[in-house]
Amino acid sequence: RDTPAYQHVVAAFRAHRVTSEKLCRAQQELHFQAATYLCLLRSVREHTAIHEEYHGKGERSPEEVAGLVGFRLPQQPGGKG
């Protein structure tokens, strides 16, 4: 609640409240803007989670990389690989 984006959305909603004297068309635009901010925040959180899970681990073995995407490498005859 202390973020600038949250404070901006709350201030915009308060400034464009529907009263008995007028019908504010900007109210629908504010709902759209709030939904857009929500989508942005969710996307940033998902991106951060995915980035931390798959990035910055250094070099990985081929077996580990295959396991990340759900594959198994075939075994070579004679116990190699």
Side-chain angles (χ1 to χ4, degrees):
R1 293 185 179 215
D2 296 330
T3 63
Y6 179 83
Q7 292 173 355
H8 170 74
V9 170
V10 170
F13 267 90
R14 288 183 181 152
H16 294 93
R17 269 187 257 171
V18 177
T19 65
S20 60
E21 298 176 6
K22 66 176 184 176
L23 177 62
C24 184
R25 292 185 186 188
Q27 190 74 24
Q28 292 176 344
E29 293 175 19
L30 289 175
H31 282 286
F32 176 76
Q33 188 178 19
T36 303
Y37 277 127
L38 180 61
C39 179
L40 171 68
L41 293 175
R42 284 182 180 156
S43 298
V44 167
R45 284 182 183 167
E46 289 179 17
H47 172 265
T48 302
I50 291 171
H51 181 76
E52 287 183 12
E53 183 175 347
Y54 293 105
H55 187 74
K57 306 272 186 188
E59 287 291 321
R60 297 180 186 213
S61 68
E63 293 83 12
E64 188 179 1
V65 173
L68 284 175
V69 295
F71 294 123
R72 287 186 336 197
L73 293 179
Q75 297 295 320
Q76 293 182 356
K80 297 180 180 178

